[in-house]
Amino acid sequence: ELSLYVRQLAWLSTALKPRNGKTPKPEPESEPPTRLQRMAIDDLTPDFPPIRTPWVIDWLMEVGPTDPGAMGAVPISWATIGQWQHCMGLDLPPWLVRLLRRLSVEFVAETVRAREPDCPPPWTATSVLNRDEVSRKVTNAFRALMMSKEPST
């Protein structure tokens, strides 16, 4: 449940790879929008799976969820988690420290996968078949596909 939530969050937080496959020179104004930013522009609300322990996600977001690496984001290190615990005055049990690290690994892996324009979301609300909801999702999928085919400037 937490893993799926983190993967969904990473998918939404990822900007799509440019159509030509080349990574543009990093300029502050030229950063491509993330899926979440595109949804906000279109006044859409993202779907998230239900979770019973939102505080774990809150802690992961406080800690990281990633560390900077030479070639991009990497999972948070054990040292990063330890330093965060020290600064926050916490002494987490080992299982929780391992969980934070594993969730960070999931976040990074999903971020890499989600750069592809046709990457489907890790989770969709399918429990109740709602005609309006299905229509919205199909429209969003087509909109994302069309955006990925637009020439980059």
Side-chain angles (χ1 to χ4, degrees):
E1 119 185 335
L2 287 173
S3 175
L4 197 53
Y5 190 96
V6 166
R7 289 179 43 225
Q8 184 78 354
L9 186 59
W11 184 83
L12 287 165
S13 302
T14 301
L16 303 179
K17 182 168 57 176
R19 182 89 171 121
N20 61 8
K22 295 181 183 174
T23 304
K25 234 186 217 181
E27 297 176 24
E29 293 82 30
S30 71
E31 289 293 318
T34 65
R35 286 184 175 91
L36 190 57
Q37 290 167 332
R38 287 181 179 191
M39 290 179 83
I41 290 168
D42 294 335
D43 199 29
L44 301 171
T45 304
D47 291 325
F48 283 98
I51 56 173
R52 291 178 294 218
T53 54
W55 54 271
V56 174
I57 301 298
D58 292 343
W59 281 1
L60 177 67
M61 294 300 116
E62 270 188 36
V63 175
T66 64
D67 275 343
M71 301 291 284
V74 297
I76 53 177
S77 68
W78 299 106
T80 297
I81 297 171
Q83 187 63 33
W84 173 78
Q85 284 186 87
H86 175 74
C87 289
M88 299 305 290
L90 299 171
D91 187 18
L92 302 180
W95 70 267
L96 190 48
V97 174
R98 284 192 301 274
L99 177 61
L100 289 173
R101 166 81 175 150
R102 186 176 59 80
L103 291 174
S104 177
V105 169
E106 295 275 342
F107 188 94
V108 171
E110 187 63 34
T111 300
V112 171
R113 191 180 75 84
R115 294 222 0 111
E116 296 300 324
D118 59 348
C119 176
W123 183 84
T124 55
T126 57
S127 58
V128 177
L129 185 59
N130 178 332
R131 194 173 195 90
D132 293 334
E133 183 74 14
V134 171
S135 174
R136 181 180 68 84
K137 288 183 182 185
V138 169
T139 300
N140 287 344
F142 280 115
R143 182 176 291 128
L145 182 62
M146 294 308 293
M147 285 183 183
S148 71
K149 294 189 184 285
E150 290 177 0
S152 59
T153 54

